[in-house]
Amino acid sequence: NALKSYAYNLRNSISDEKLAGKFDPADKAKHETAINDAIGWLDSSQEASKEEYDDKQKELEFVAGHIMQKLYGATNAAG
């Protein structure tokens, strides 16, 4: 459930009106791909182990973390 919640929260963040226009298009595409990959993996991996879920969440956090850090760094610098 943690991975699913995280993936959907990330999806909502890139759709948020306040943030959507601030993403670099390449970063947004990477973000969307990582989110869709995670959600697709969840749908096809109902029997996966806790470790597999944890690993998949770490992968998504790695991609999203860099993009969000870049986004918030640019937003703070501009603000």
Side-chain angles (χ1 to χ4, degrees), residues 1-70:
N1 282 341
L3 175 57
K4 187 175 186 176
S5 294
Y6 185 66
Y8 281 101
N9 284 336
L10 287 174
R11 180 180 274 174
N12 290 338
S13 74
I14 62 174
S15 301
D16 186 298
E17 292 176 12
K18 296 174 188 172
L19 296 177
K22 297 180 181 181
F23 282 97
D24 175 76
D27 286 344
K28 186 174 183 180
K30 284 181 194 174
H31 205 89
E32 289 173 333
T33 298
I35 293 166
N36 291 334
D37 286 349
I39 292 171
W41 182 86
L42 281 167
D43 290 341
S44 65
S45 302
Q46 300 296 321
E47 301 299 320
S49 69
K50 181 183 179 338
E51 291 78 19
E52 290 172 304
Y53 280 99
D54 291 345
D55 288 345
K56 198 64 173 176
Q57 183 161 348
K58 287 177 187 173
E59 288 176 28
L60 183 55
E61 288 172 349
F62 180 78
V63 172
H66 287 298
I67 293 169
M68 297 303 279
Q69 186 176 33
K70 189 173 168 183

